[in-house]
Structure formats: C-alpha cells, structure tokens
Amino acid sequence: QVQLQESGPGLVKPSETLSLTCTVSGGSISGYYWSWIRQPPGKGLEWIGYIYYTGSTNSNPSLKSRVTISVDTAKNQFSLKVNSVTAADTAVYYCARYHVRGDYFDYWGQGTLVTVSS
Amino acid sequence: EIVLTQSPGTLSLSPGERATLSCRASQSVRNSYLAWYQQKPGQAPRLLIYGASSRATGIPDRFSGSGSGTDFTLTISRLEPEDFAVYYCQQYGTSSLTFGQGTKVEIK
C-alpha cells in the first residue's frame, strides 16, 4: 500500500519561501507522476503542479512563476517550494500520486497546514 | 482553463435516499477524463470515480458516475451515514488541472 507523508514548517513569514517535502513509502517513486494540491481553510482544492520521476514538471499557470517542484529518487521524495508567499498562500498542502492517463489522483498524503504570518 | 461548476452547492438528504450530483465543464473534457472525490472534515480527499464512470479500488457499488463531453453526474444510490461529506469533480485540460467548487451532502 503506497503511503505519502508531507513534512515541513507549519509557519512561514510573508515574502519568504514555503518549503515542503513528500516522502513516499510502500512503493517506488519511479514510473509515476507526483503532485501538490492545496486547500485554503474552508475552501476548495487548487492544483499546484506535478513532476514525473525523471524531473519533468508542469504547474498551474496562476502559480508557475513562484513554484518549484523537484524530485529525489534516491530518497523516494519530492518537494515543493513557493517563493514570495503572502497570507493567500495559507492552506493545507497535500501531496498525491497522479495518473496522467486518466488524469486522477489515487493516493494522497494526510495534508499539512502551512500558515503565512509574521 | 476549463471551469468546472458543481450543483447544487448543498444537498440535504436522509440516509437511504438517492443523491445526484452534477458537474458541468466550460469546455469538453478530453477523453471524458473526469474524476470524483469525497472529502470528510480533517481528511484528505478520497478518489471515488475516474474516467467518468470507473470506480476506484474499494469503492462501494452504490457510487456510480456517468456523463461525457461537458456534463457529468455522480450518483449515490442509497446514502449511508458515512457518505455525508463534500464531493469534488476534477479534470485536466488546456494545460491546467481544475477542481469544481464542491457539493456538500448533508443530513436532512
């Protein structure tokens, strides 16, 4: 059973960089696409972007200029960086496995709340 | 980007009743690759349906999906107490992946 776990700081100051890591267990990161999705408190889901295990990426055009997604196959991890954060970036951040043939997410992490505040 | 509009916003029903949720896309969804998720408070979304009508592993057969093009439906044939939750549709098209705003199924 594939499991995903997000980790990283729960509090980030405005204008700084949000950094999160997703650790995949129970299966290899190789051969799949991996994604980040966020959900502001009380609101809906927003796709941030995805990465293939080879390192190729695709991101939401609305966030593309501030987002970097990377992968470390040796550690079975992938990561997210969002720079120049504001209060609008406060959200629960989820990592998930993405099937590009079918366009769906089958395994999700439990999510981690990141608050942007001074 | 393709906008997904879900209706109704809230559905008030009793256990045992049938729930019909709608998801309408602003443009045709490629290959009818539309997915549905269930989310309960404090939990991550759970995949229910992919490819508009294929049930994910372990999903009870009271959940069914249908539709193509721009109009899709999630049906829960008989609501169980654990089915009261928020449901989202999702698609990928025109270089961006989008979710609907969600339909909350609440106990009447």
Side-chain angles (χ1 to χ4, degrees):
Chain A
Q1 174 83 345
V2 174
Q3 292 185 309
L4 294 86
Q5 179 69 56
E6 305 90 350
S7 59
L11 181 64
V12 181
K13 290 183 168 52
S15 79
E16 296 190 344
T17 296
L18 178 161
S19 296
L20 295 173
T21 295
C22 182
T23 301
V24 179
S25 60
S28 175
I29 206 167
S30 296
Y32 292 96
Y33 287 80
W34 304 91
S35 190
W36 290 97
I37 300 117
R38 70 182 183 179
Q39 185 171 36
K43 296 189 177 180
L45 300 161
E46 180 181 36
W47 174 66
I48 300 171
Y50 64 63
I51 188 165
Y52 193 41
Y53 77 102
T54 57
S56 62
T57 60
N58 187 19
S59 300
N60 188 325
S62 69
L63 296 168
K64 201 177 190 94
S65 63
R66 299 194 295 127
V67 165
T68 302
I69 301 176
S70 58
V71 65
D72 186 335
T73 54
K75 293 183 178 179
N76 236 32
Q77 295 177 335
F78 63 104
S79 298
L80 170 71
K81 291 188 187 298
V82 182
N83 58 36
S84 306
V85 296
T86 68
D89 294 306
T90 294
V92 175
Y93 285 76
Y94 296 101
C95 57
R97 190 173 79 172
Y98 177 63
H99 285 262
V100 69
R101 287 182 185 157
D103 296 333
Y104 61 90
F105 304 98
D106 58 352
Y107 290 102
W108 295 66
Q110 65 186 25
T112 188
L113 174 63
V114 179
T115 301
V116 178
S117 175
S118 55
Chain B
E1 74 177 24
I2 295 178
V3 177
L4 297 177
T5 302
Q6 293 186 238
S7 61
T10 302
L11 202 47
S12 297
L13 295 168
S14 301
E17 290 194 293
R18 181 184 187 89
T20 302
L21 288 67
S22 173
C23 177
R24 178 163 289 178
S26 60
Q27 302 173 45
S28 184
V29 175
R30 69 171 189 177
N31 298 320
S32 292
Y33 282 171
L34 186 107
W36 290 93
Y37 302 86
Q38 175 194 69
Q39 187 178 35
K40 297 179 181 179
Q43 295 184 18
R46 176 176 72 144
L47 176 68
L48 299 175
I49 301 287
Y50 63 95
S53 60
S54 298
R55 265 189 305 277
T57 302
I59 301 302
D61 61 7
R62 64 179 181 274
F63 291 92
S64 63
S66 62
S68 63
T70 60
D71 289 299
F72 299 87
T73 301
L74 174 70
T75 302
I76 310 171
S77 59
R78 288 178 57 85
L79 282 164
E80 297 288 340
E82 62 268 27
D83 298 337
F84 292 92
V86 178
Y87 293 83
Y88 294 96
C89 57
Q90 169 258 311
Q91 67 81 44
Y92 180 89
T94 59
S95 300
S96 191
L97 188 151
T98 56
F99 292 89
Q101 83 279 17
T103 289
K104 181 179 182 180
V105 178
E106 65 176 23
I107 299 176
K108 186 174 182 180

